Amino acid sequence: MKKFKYLPILALVGTGSLFAQPTDIGRIEISITDKYKAKVEEANMFLDFPSFKDTSTEKMEVKYQIFSEAVDVQFRPKTLPPLKIKSLKLEKLPRGLFRFGYGFYNTPLADLYYNSGRSTKYNFGFSARHYSTQKGVDGIVFDNNAISNNFIGAHLNRFYKDLAWNTSAEAKFNKVSYYGVDRIPIGETVPEELDPNANWYRQFGINSQLLSTNGKGMAWLQKLGLTYYNLTDDYSTMENNLELKSRIDIPSGAEKINTDLNLSYFRTDYDSISKFSQSYLTLQFHPKISSTKNDWSFDFGVNLYYNSAFKSDEDEISGNVYFFPELIVRYPIVKDVLTSYAGWEGELIQNSVSSLFEENPYLNPGQELKPSRKTDLFVGLNGILSSSASFNIKGGFMSVVDQALFYRNPFYYFDSIQPGLDIQYDKIDRYYIRGELGFNFKNNLQINLNGELNSFILTNAEEAWHLPKFRAGLNSVYTLKQKLKFKADVDYIGERVAFAQEDNADLSNTLSAYVDLGIGIEYLYNSRISAFINTNNLLNSNYEYYLGYRTQNINVLFGLTYQF
């Protein structure tokens, strides 16, 4: 061991400062046993959020005041020069269209449409259409099955600052032949060139309505309209229908109660075999409100009807009140992609000669007319599968009281007085599911698929006459380089029961299922002229629409279209 003795002066240097010391400071001994080795200690890291424990849990009271003071900010933005609006000449659109075609079995087609140009004050136009055909139905005793559909219409729309007044008038002249006899009683013969009984329906109507274009033109009143038509036929039928329709939006907080208040009156007179008349007066009150909460949306409402009926063979006027609740709920499972919905709706449907003719033109004149009461409970799902595909699926339970069913006497070939179909009313409960699938590929190819499956439960009749339990369809349009347009329509209708088999064992009561295929091709020569070919019943199926009423064979129609 080494020993060192330090002088006092050396001790002063070690302290790093000079100061006065006592004369005798004693002796200091330092023992060194090894060489000095430097060592770096591990550093302690300070975290961004150090943990600490507050020793004081008492909340401090803080008093403060905020004083506002205007501060002058020296900011002077540079003035931008005004933009110049350049006027562009709008492309001149065709105002009119004329289409003419001719097909097998003496089938002419003519369409004419004209509409005035752009205007902020008024708009007017007119249209006309004719389509007729003869013959071409196999398996019937008559050589002629002529039909003729004719339409003439005109409209005038007047625009004001806050209102729009729309008026239209139309006339229809439609002929139907009761050709649906495919057999004759044994021992009887039909003279050659004998035409079946036919009926011409003539209908004249006018419609006028006043609309609020910005929701403020007529205060709460949004729409006020009047509709009237008169219908007659060759069997001394006359029908008059008058409707007054209005829409009122009643403010209710942030929402509005959309209220439809409608009044309708129609009267039908028959004077063929026997004189008979019937009339109905219907008042509808239909308030509805739409609301949203979070992602849910709701439609609440009530559909209330008062319906009075008068029939010439009854002494009293009967009146009834019908109540239908309305509730529709929607919820987006995936926003803007997939939406679920459910609802409960109902309505009163007034059957008339005009509405039933549109559904089935082969009805015998003189039918009793009753309103149908429909209630529908349903759930559904709709959405998009991709940027070019969408779908909708809906299923539920529907109940219709006094549903109009088309029924034909199974011994119709013995009946020369009533050659068409009659109406039977019954209560039908229906479980259904229907689906729709649509595709749109770059606006060049559009495809729509649909299908419906039904299960019927009837109160009186054995079956739902002439109603299929399954039906499906496909509609498609393909445009090739803006020059060729291809169309294809496919309809599948399942089997239908026409009558109870025990009523006539010699005739099948089931109408076979069928597929109806139609294809069309149109060549666009330029923006104004095009030529087309349309084919109907391309598979040449000899199916029946209704009992005894068969379809026309394959028909090909050629035509031209000119826009001006």
Side-chain angles (χ1 to χ4, degrees):
M1 180 181 293
K2 298 179 181 180
K3 296 182 179 180
F4 295 88
K5 296 181 180 179
Y6 291 87
L7 296 176
I9 189 64
L10 296 176
L12 292 175
V13 173
T15 61
S17 60
L18 298 176
F19 52 88
Q21 294 287 345
T23 303
D24 188 6
I25 62 173
R27 299 175 64 185
I28 298 175
E29 293 185 359
I30 298 176
S31 300
I32 299 175
T33 59
D34 198 355
K35 294 181 178 181
Y36 173 72
K37 296 180 180 180
K39 183 179 180 182
V40 178
E41 294 291 340
E42 184 177 356
N44 293 325
M45 181 180 296
F46 291 94
L47 301 177
D48 292 338
F49 301 97
S51 60
F52 61 89
K53 184 176 182 181
D54 194 355
T55 57
S56 176
T57 60
E58 184 178 355
K59 186 176 180 180
M60 299 177 61
E61 183 179 359
V62 179
K63 295 182 179 181
Y64 62 91
Q65 288 181 322
I66 298 176
F67 299 95
S68 60
E69 182 177 355
V71 179
D72 185 20
V73 179
Q74 300 296 327
F75 176 66
R76 301 291 184 267
K78 183 180 179 181
T79 303
L80 297 176
L83 295 177
K84 295 182 180 180
I85 300 177
K86 183 179 180 181
S87 61
L88 297 176
K89 187 176 181 180
L90 295 176
E91 180 183 357
K92 187 176 180 180
L93 299 176
R95 296 186 181 183
L97 178 146
F98 176 70
R99 183 172 63 165
F100 173 79
Y102 191 82
F104 297 170
Y105 316 117
N106 191 20
T107 304
L109 168 68
D111 276 326
L112 178 63
Y113 175 81
Y114 177 81
N115 190 62
S116 64
R118 297 183 178 97
S119 173
T120 58
K121 294 183 179 180
Y122 62 87
N123 170 267
F124 66 90
F126 62 86
S127 60
R129 176 180 174 84
H130 168 79
Y131 174 82
S132 61
T133 187
Q134 299 174 2
K135 304 183 179 182
V137 177
D138 292 336
I140 60 175
V141 301
F142 301 106
D143 186 55
N144 192 348
N145 54 276
I147 63 169
S148 180
N149 297 327
N150 305 275
F151 171 85
I152 300 174
H155 68 269
L156 173 63
N157 302 324
R158 187 70 170 87
F159 307 113
Y160 301 92
K161 181 179 179 180
D162 301 320
L163 301 172
W165 181 24
N166 303 329
T167 302
S168 63
E170 64 180 29
K172 300 178 182 178
F173 307 92
N174 297 323
K175 176 186 178 181
V176 58
S177 297
Y178 298 104
Y179 66 89
V181 180
D182 54 0
R183 63 187 67 196
I184 59 175
I186 299 176
E188 293 188 12
T189 59
V190 178
E192 295 183 3
E193 302 298 331
L194 176 66
D195 290 335
N197 294 329
N199 193 6
W200 276 96
Y201 288 89
R202 296 165 293 273
Q203 181 173 327
F204 303 90
I206 186 171
N207 176 50
S208 183
Q209 62 178 356
L210 196 62
L211 302 173
S212 176
T213 55
N214 58 6
K216 302 177 181 179
M218 298 183 291
W220 292 0
L221 185 62
Q222 303 299 311
K223 180 180 73 173
L224 182 63
L226 179 68
T227 302
Y228 170 77
Y229 75 79
N230 170 269
L231 179 145
T232 59
D233 72 353
D234 290 345
Y235 288 82
S236 300
T237 298
M238 177 178 288
E239 183 170 85
N240 291 281
N241 186 25
L242 178 66
E243 295 184 35
L244 180 63
K245 297 182 178 181
S246 64
R247 163 67 67 86
I248 304 172
D249 288 350
I250 303 174
S252 176
E255 309 292 344
K256 290 184 178 180
I257 303 176
N258 303 319
T259 305
D260 292 328
L261 186 61
N262 303 321
L263 177 66
S264 67
Y265 172 80
F266 96 94
R267 177 186 174 100
T268 305
D269 295 277
Y270 302 116
D271 192 10
S272 53
I273 300 177
S274 61
K275 192 170 184 179
F276 173 72
S277 64
Q278 52 192 332
S279 60
Y280 287 90
L281 176 68
T282 304
L283 176 63
Q284 180 190 16
F285 177 67
H286 183 200
K288 182 175 67 174
I289 188 171
S290 299
S291 178
T292 59
K293 185 174 180 60
N294 298 328
D295 291 332
W296 295 84
S297 63
F298 306 88
D299 291 339
F300 304 96
V302 59
N303 216 346
L304 185 65
Y305 295 88
Y306 171 75
N307 181 264
S308 66
F310 169 77
K311 298 180 181 180
S312 59
D313 58 349
E314 298 178 1
D315 297 332
E316 298 181 353
I317 298 177
S318 61
N320 296 283
V321 176
Y322 303 107
F323 171 83
F324 302 96
E326 183 173 314
L327 172 63
I328 301 177
V329 182
R330 304 177 188 87
Y331 178 75
I333 300 175
V334 180
K335 189 175 182 180
D336 299 328
V337 176
L338 187 63
T339 302
S340 60
Y341 60 91
W344 182 8
E345 294 180 309
E347 62 178 330
L348 183 71
I349 303 172
Q350 183 60 66
N351 296 306
S352 63
V353 174
S354 178
S355 64
L356 293 173
F357 174 82
E358 295 294 333
E359 187 175 355
N360 180 5
Y362 306 109
L363 291 176
N364 290 317
Q367 299 297 317
E368 182 183 6
L369 303 173
K370 292 182 179 181
S372 301
R373 307 190 300 275
K374 183 177 75 172
T375 303
D376 189 10
L377 287 84
F378 58 88
V379 295
L381 193 68
N382 61 39
I384 58 175
L385 301 175
S386 66
S387 60
S388 58
S390 61
F391 76 95
N392 182 33
I393 300 175
K394 181 181 179 181
F397 171 78
M398 181 186 299
S399 178
V400 182
V401 180
D402 288 331
Q403 167 76 56
L405 297 174
F406 304 126
Y407 178 82
R408 193 178 191 191
N409 179 4
F411 293 96
Y412 58 87
Y413 41 88
F414 286 104
D415 192 349
S416 60
I417 299 177
Q418 298 286 325
L421 286 83
D422 294 317
I423 294 178
Q424 291 186 356
Y425 292 95
D426 204 345
K427 180 178 181 296
I428 299 181
D429 294 333
R430 172 191 303 186
Y431 294 92
Y432 68 92
I433 181 170
R434 66 172 65 106
E436 299 172 328
L437 184 62
F439 299 91
N440 188 341
F441 299 98
K442 299 181 180 180
N443 293 324
N444 292 327
L445 176 62
Q446 295 88 37
I447 301 176
N448 294 296
L449 299 167
N450 62 81
E452 181 176 279
L453 181 64
N454 296 286
S455 176
F456 302 105
I457 303 174
L458 288 88
T459 302
N460 299 314
E462 295 184 10
E463 295 284 347
W465 312 128
H466 290 103
L467 292 181
K469 294 182 179 180
F470 177 73
R471 63 192 311 159
L474 180 148
N475 309 102
S476 62
V477 178
Y478 175 66
T479 304
L480 178 62
K481 297 183 178 180
Q482 301 300 319
K483 279 295 183 182
L484 287 174
K485 184 177 290 186
F486 302 89
K487 299 180 182 179
D489 298 319
V490 183
D491 292 313
Y492 173 82
I493 305 297
E495 292 184 345
R496 294 140 294 148
V497 178
F499 61 92
Q501 188 62 71
E502 58 268 20
D503 291 343
N504 187 352
D506 296 331
L507 182 67
S508 175
N509 71 331
T510 302
L511 308 184
S512 301
Y514 66 87
V515 176
D516 191 330
L517 172 62
I519 293 179
I521 302 175
E522 184 176 10
Y523 172 67
L524 307 174
Y525 179 73
N526 55 34
S527 60
R528 293 183 179 273
I529 302 175
S530 63
F532 62 88
I533 301 175
N534 293 332
T535 61
N536 295 319
N537 192 15
L538 190 60
L539 301 179
N540 203 29
S541 302
N542 189 23
Y543 60 85
E544 295 177 272
Y545 295 115
Y546 301 100
L547 180 63
Y549 283 88
R550 301 180 182 274
T551 185
Q552 194 176 51
N553 294 333
I554 180 174
N555 195 347
V556 181
L557 189 144
F558 305 85
L560 296 172
T561 300
Y562 175 69
Q563 301 184 55
F564 56 92

